[in-house]
Amino acid sequence: MANANTTAPSIAIVTLGCAKNEVDSQEMAVKLARAGYAVTRDPEEADVIILNTCSFIQVATEESIDTFFELAGLERVVGGESKIVLAGCMPSRYGADLEAELSEASAFVPCSREDDIVEVVADLLPDRVPEPAILEPDGTIGANEYALTTAGDSPFVAYVKISDGCDRMCSYCTIPFIRGRYHSYSLDEITADVAYKVKSGVREITLIAQDTGRWGQDFEERSSLAALMDHLAKRFPQTWFRVMYIQPEGVTDELLQVFGDNENICRYLDIPFQHAAKPVLRAMNRRGNADAFLKLIAHIRETVPDVTLRTTLIAGFPGETEEQFAELIDFIESAELDYVGVFPYSREDGTRAAELEDQVDEEVKQERAQEVRDLADSISAARIADRVGKRIPVLVLGCEEDGQLFGRAQCQAPDVDGVTYVSAGKPGDIVEIEVTGTLMYEMEGE
């Protein structure tokens, strides 16, 4: 993963948080590599360590702070040979207050300044600015660059961010303060990003954003997520496409039609309902209710019969009564979703929800979240077990230490839905299997 110029200063990027942060780190890594820096995975040996932080909720902020102090305790950092740059959500959210508290950091780079990362590093190491990398005819640094842009440790899957920011202003959410106003990336930018990754061997691309369903609505000539996905699926027919983070109102008939028309679009929808009781949703500054959501789910399943559905839910929101929590439980039982992410409400400074009366006791929040989690897991396990005997395609990703091949089916999103163990194929292949067994989220097949 390092640049060929081994005498150049080495830069390690440590990433916390969601896939959107992973993409931001990849983009910083590419900029640094093109500028001639040696990008490494080893912070202990790096001249500059960039910690790309998450600060969406308090738990994430605490993890970011803990990781920062772990890095600050490394021998080369303590000795002054290595510098730390704090990047991403924490400096975006806390600004000057953070700079006063974390004096061990040599620079602070909020999300809005990540495009300037090369200049930031050059300012920290003014006597060691490297010669720019020699680029390939296509303007990249070749295979080295591609290694910096894949998702996780697999060269066959990648994330592509299609927009940034959010205008929804949900009362519990810090994203608008961290990422700013919503703005779509252009069709040409996204297509070029996808084309490069496909050329480099990627077989599955996951489209991500804070609100993917709004893509194209801020253009002078409005477009839609459906149009984008149809364009990509037809332009790259051998590549799987998956989309995450679609708000309920973003699931249109046009989009469902595109899912049905293109076999290389994963029949998978991640729709963050967040709750089911109307009063709670209104307090969240969100639309919908249990009946509307159940009708949407039924319509999706009728239109795309083999669809996999994921959601996220918040338990213990301020003012949530026993009756409203019971309505959430009833919704989960009725919806029978394939996967559910569950979070106890996190009271975040600066949000409107933090100032609401009737904050739910911490112990009650945790108990409710666990009850939701247990119920959702039991439903998920049963739905996954129903796949036994079905024939499905699986993208082979790699081998376990014991040589066991594993991959992911279209019904399994990266990082959150488990893997499928297979008996044949090689990494990068898409093989058809018959599901022979399941264990919670994992599947196995012949």
Side-chain angles (χ1 to χ4, degrees):
M1 186 169 171
N3 188 281
N5 182 1
T6 56
T7 62
S10 59
I11 316 295
I13 302 179
V14 178
T15 306
L16 303 174
C18 66
K20 293 177 282 293
N21 271 15
E22 292 284 352
V23 172
D24 293 342
S25 290
Q26 291 161 6
E27 291 175 351
M28 286 192 285
V30 168
K31 286 181 170 65
L32 289 162
R34 288 186 177 186
Y37 292 95
V39 181
T40 175
R41 293 187 185 275
D42 186 2
E44 294 190 10
E45 299 299 324
D47 297 300
V48 175
I49 305 166
I50 300 170
L51 176 59
N52 191 3
T53 58
C54 179
S55 192
F56 175 54
I57 58 176
Q58 189 61 35
V59 171
T61 301
E62 291 169 359
E63 181 186 11
S64 294
I65 292 172
D66 289 345
T67 304
F68 173 80
F69 283 116
E70 287 176 14
L71 296 173
L74 293 176
E75 183 177 347
R76 297 188 80 242
V77 178
V78 173
E81 301 168 81
S82 180
K83 301 178 184 296
I84 300 179
V85 174
L86 201 68
C89 297
M90 275 186 67
S92 295
R93 183 174 177 185
Y94 295 108
D97 292 341
L98 195 69
E99 297 181 24
E101 293 292 330
L102 302 180
S103 58
E104 296 87 348
S106 297
F108 296 85
V109 181
C111 299
S112 60
R113 285 198 60 214
E114 287 175 349
D115 285 346
D116 302 328
I117 193 63
V118 172
E119 289 77 9
V120 172
V121 171
D123 287 344
L124 294 178
L125 304 173
D127 299 326
R128 300 185 61 195
V129 177
E131 291 293 323
I134 298 173
L135 300 182
E136 300 289 335
D138 63 357
T140 73
I141 56 172
N144 240 13
E145 177 166 316
Y146 168 65
L148 304 175
T149 64
T150 52
D153 293 323
S154 173
F156 306 109
V157 296
Y159 294 110
V160 169
K161 193 158 65 168
I162 65 173
S163 68
D164 207 351
C166 186
D167 293 341
R168 288 187 176 274
M169 301 303 292
C170 297
S171 65
Y172 54 84
C173 185
T174 59
I175 290 297
F177 314 127
I178 294 171
R179 293 282 178 174
R181 298 298 300 273
Y182 182 90
H183 58 280
S184 301
Y185 297 161
S186 73
L187 178 64
D188 288 345
E189 288 176 306
I190 296 168
T191 303
D193 193 0
V194 171
Y196 173 61
K197 290 178 167 65
V198 170
K199 181 181 177 182
S200 303
V202 167
R203 301 302 308 274
E204 178 186 345
I205 287 176
T206 299
L207 306 179
I208 56 171
Q210 273 76 32
D211 187 355
T212 50
R214 280 200 63 199
W215 183 85
Q217 295 180 23
D218 55 334
F219 293 157
E220 188 172 338
E221 291 188 24
R222 289 165 65 94
S223 189
S224 67
L225 177 63
L228 172 64
M229 296 197 71
D230 193 54
H231 165 79
L232 294 174
K234 288 180 167 56
R235 175 81 176 267
F236 306 99
Q238 302 305 312
T239 305
W240 284 4
F241 288 94
R242 186 188 305 276
V243 62
M244 305 291 285
Y245 317 124
I246 305 178
Q247 298 294 336
E249 54 268 37
V251 183
T252 63
D253 285 342
E254 180 190 15
L255 182 65
L256 297 178
Q257 184 64 47
V258 167
F259 272 62
D261 290 345
N262 298 278
E263 291 188 0
N264 58 324
I265 293 179
C266 298
R267 270 66 165 173
Y268 187 107
L269 282 169
D270 171 31
I271 311 169
F273 292 119
Q274 306 299 16
H275 210 277
K278 185 174 179 178
V280 176
L281 287 163
R282 294 303 174 271
M284 290 177 170
N285 196 34
R286 294 179 62 85
R287 303 174 185 173
N289 55 62
D291 287 343
F293 293 160
L294 290 173
K295 288 177 182 176
L296 175 61
I297 290 167
H299 180 60
I300 293 169
R301 285 174 169 157
E302 182 180 0
T303 309
V304 188
D306 55 348
V307 72
T308 298
L309 295 178
R310 162 175 275 278
T311 195
T312 50
L313 299 169
I314 297 173
F317 190 79
E320 181 189 66
T321 65
E322 291 285 354
E323 292 76 13
Q324 290 161 353
F325 178 68
E327 188 173 352
L328 177 61
I329 292 294
D330 290 344
F331 169 73
I332 297 166
E333 291 177 335
S334 299
E336 295 188 318
L337 298 164
D338 298 280
Y339 302 104
V340 178
V342 184
F343 302 91
Y345 166 72
S346 179
R347 190 176 188 177
E348 299 298 319
D349 290 341
T351 63
R352 282 176 291 163
E355 305 303 321
L356 292 176
E357 297 180 356
D358 299 325
Q359 296 284 329
V360 178
D361 180 77
E362 186 64 33
E363 184 176 349
V364 174
K365 287 193 293 187
Q366 296 294 338
E367 289 174 354
R368 290 180 180 178
Q370 191 59 52
E371 183 176 344
V372 172
R373 195 174 292 117
D374 291 344
L375 173 60
D377 282 348
S378 67
I379 293 170
S380 292
R383 291 189 65 83
I384 294 167
D386 284 344
R387 297 172 187 164
V388 172
K390 294 183 178 179
R391 299 192 66 83
I392 57 173
V394 172
L395 170 59
V396 183
L397 298 177
C399 294
E400 302 278 15
E401 290 184 1
D402 61 0
Q404 173 65 61
L405 285 166
F406 69 91
R408 274 203 323 275
Q410 289 194 355
C411 57
Q412 295 171 312
D415 302 321
V416 290
D417 295 339
V419 297
T420 299
Y421 296 100
V422 298
S423 57
K426 63 181 185 295
D429 286 348
I430 294 177
V431 299
E432 186 175 88
I433 66 156
E434 179 178 329
V435 180
T436 57
T438 65
L439 177 60
M440 197 56 201
Y441 292 149
E442 316 292 351
M443 301 190 297
E444 60 183 8
E446 298 284 345

